[in-house]
Amino acid sequence: MTEQTRAQAQEQQAQALSPDEVGEVYDEKGWLWEIFMGQNLHIGWWDDEAPEIDPKDRLTDVLIEQVALRPGQHLLDIGCGQGRPALRLAEASGGEVTGITVSAEQVAAGTEAAAGAGLADRVRFALADVSELPYADGEFDAAWAMESLMYLGDRPAALREIARVLKPGGVFVLSDYVESAELDEEWRKVLLEGFTVGSLPTADQYVEMITAAGLTVERNFDATAHLRRSAARIDQLVADNYDKVVEKGGLQFAEEFKEMIDRVSKLERDMLGYSVITVRKPLA
């Protein structure tokens, strides 16, 4: 890892919430994310291959293609949310999924959803911190992290843990926001307000951290165009759901949230990028 990457990692750790604090945010404000994002807490993937599929489910499908999980294999879903991607993966692949999150509410919601889908025997959810995974070396055939490493203070530690629990030859897919433009102090405040971190890695810095963790990059796709299209819908989503936010959180909260989202949507449209990186753990 270069000195620049190490310095940025230290800065991120200082400006990020602890895992417990992130869990509290999702436990307290889970209703808010559900209003705007439903069961998929990630951006959409916009293409013409499957126009009938919701773009957020389509992103999950793209990642399913990348991990290529087979029946009998086991994937670790890092930052699983309420479990919709995990269930979609299990249904499509016939494999097993363990979803981890720092939110007790998400564990409960995912467990209920798995039981309702008849998949409780193959999809499980647990409270766990990716930086200190409670799993054995080489326990998983694959892993993915959909917009979850972005919230971490120590991303290199998380990537080392992911590498540790992967079997040799195992696949890891990362889909996440990255910085694509210089952010001044004001825009870093917006990033901190919207994403609870003061900085994000660039795409190249993610590759550096992944390589330093002993993993090999096989595919590095710039998906910023999909982020742009998703961000362009934010203003309309807020307008369509404003009354629900007022009902649940009160008028003052709704107004403050709307102002914050206005700033965050501009940040996403103009200054952030999005990467989908597929990596593999070497056989030896």
Side-chain angles (χ1 to χ4, degrees):
M1 183 183 299
T2 67
E3 287 301 320
Q4 180 183 6
T5 303
R6 185 177 294 107
Q8 181 159 11
Q10 292 170 346
E11 177 190 359
Q12 291 163 350
Q13 189 165 13
Q15 293 183 305
L17 298 180
S18 69
D20 287 343
E21 288 170 332
V22 173
E24 289 172 4
V25 169
Y26 275 96
D27 286 345
E28 293 173 3
K29 294 294 191 297
W31 61 268
L32 187 60
W33 312 133
E34 188 167 350
I35 285 174
F36 289 99
M37 305 186 78
Q39 301 300 310
N40 283 316
L41 303 181
H42 55 255
I43 70 165
W45 187 276
W46 310 80
D47 61 22
D48 297 325
E49 292 188 26
E52 75 284 358
I53 297 176
D54 180 277
K56 292 187 177 185
D57 284 333
R58 178 69 184 129
L59 175 62
T60 301
D61 293 345
V62 169
L63 270 59
I64 289 172
E65 294 166 6
Q66 291 296 303
V67 297
L69 198 72
R70 300 190 301 273
Q73 292 187 322
H74 194 177
L75 176 137
L76 179 65
D77 181 355
I78 299 153
C80 59
Q82 296 186 351
R84 184 180 176 96
L87 297 176
R88 194 171 181 86
L89 170 62
E91 290 174 342
S93 68
E96 296 184 32
V97 182
T98 293
I100 62 167
T101 173
V102 291
S103 165
E105 293 289 336
Q106 290 180 346
V107 170
T111 301
E112 182 179 355
L119 291 169
D121 59 329
R122 290 196 287 118
V123 182
R124 295 167 292 278
F125 299 92
L127 274 175
D129 175 3
V130 64
S131 298
E132 297 181 77
L133 290 171
Y135 304 113
D137 294 359
E139 186 163 339
F140 295 93
D141 300 281
W144 71 22
M146 303 172 69
E147 298 175 25
S148 55
L149 297 196
M150 61 189 290
Y151 296 108
L152 302 182
D154 194 347
R155 300 183 187 97
L159 288 164
R160 289 193 297 270
E161 276 291 89
I162 293 166
R164 180 184 66 79
V165 302
L166 276 178
K167 294 179 180 178
V171 175
F172 168 57
V173 179
L174 169 72
S175 64
D176 218 341
Y177 287 78
V178 296
E179 289 190 19
S180 61
E182 287 292 330
L183 302 182
D184 62 22
E185 183 178 351
E186 288 305 310
W187 283 112
R188 291 211 176 275
K189 289 179 181 178
V190 175
L191 181 67
L192 186 61
E193 185 179 23
F195 294 97
T196 73
V197 293
S199 60
L200 296 170
T202 65
D204 289 342
Q205 287 168 341
Y206 255 136
V207 169
E208 284 187 36
M209 287 186 279
I210 287 167
T211 302
L215 301 168
T216 301
V217 174
E218 293 191 336
R219 183 175 184 265
N220 185 1
F221 183 78
D222 181 358
T224 301
H226 298 284
L227 170 62
R228 297 284 187 266
R229 288 195 61 176
S230 295
R233 302 173 66 243
I234 292 176
D235 291 344
Q236 189 60 52
L237 281 172
V238 171
D240 291 345
N241 293 281
Y242 180 80
D243 290 345
K244 295 178 183 177
V245 179
V246 172
E247 180 180 354
K248 186 73 175 180
L251 181 60
Q252 181 177 346
F253 174 83
E255 281 297 303
E256 292 173 352
F257 175 74
K258 182 178 183 299
E259 291 176 5
M260 184 270 287
I261 287 296
D262 286 343
R263 295 189 292 271
V264 170
S265 64
K266 180 172 176 55
L267 178 71
E268 292 188 11
R269 290 194 303 267
D270 299 341
M271 302 174 201
L272 298 183
Y274 198 95
S275 291
V276 177
I277 306 174
T278 303
V279 309
R280 191 174 298 275
K281 183 174 180 176
L283 290 171

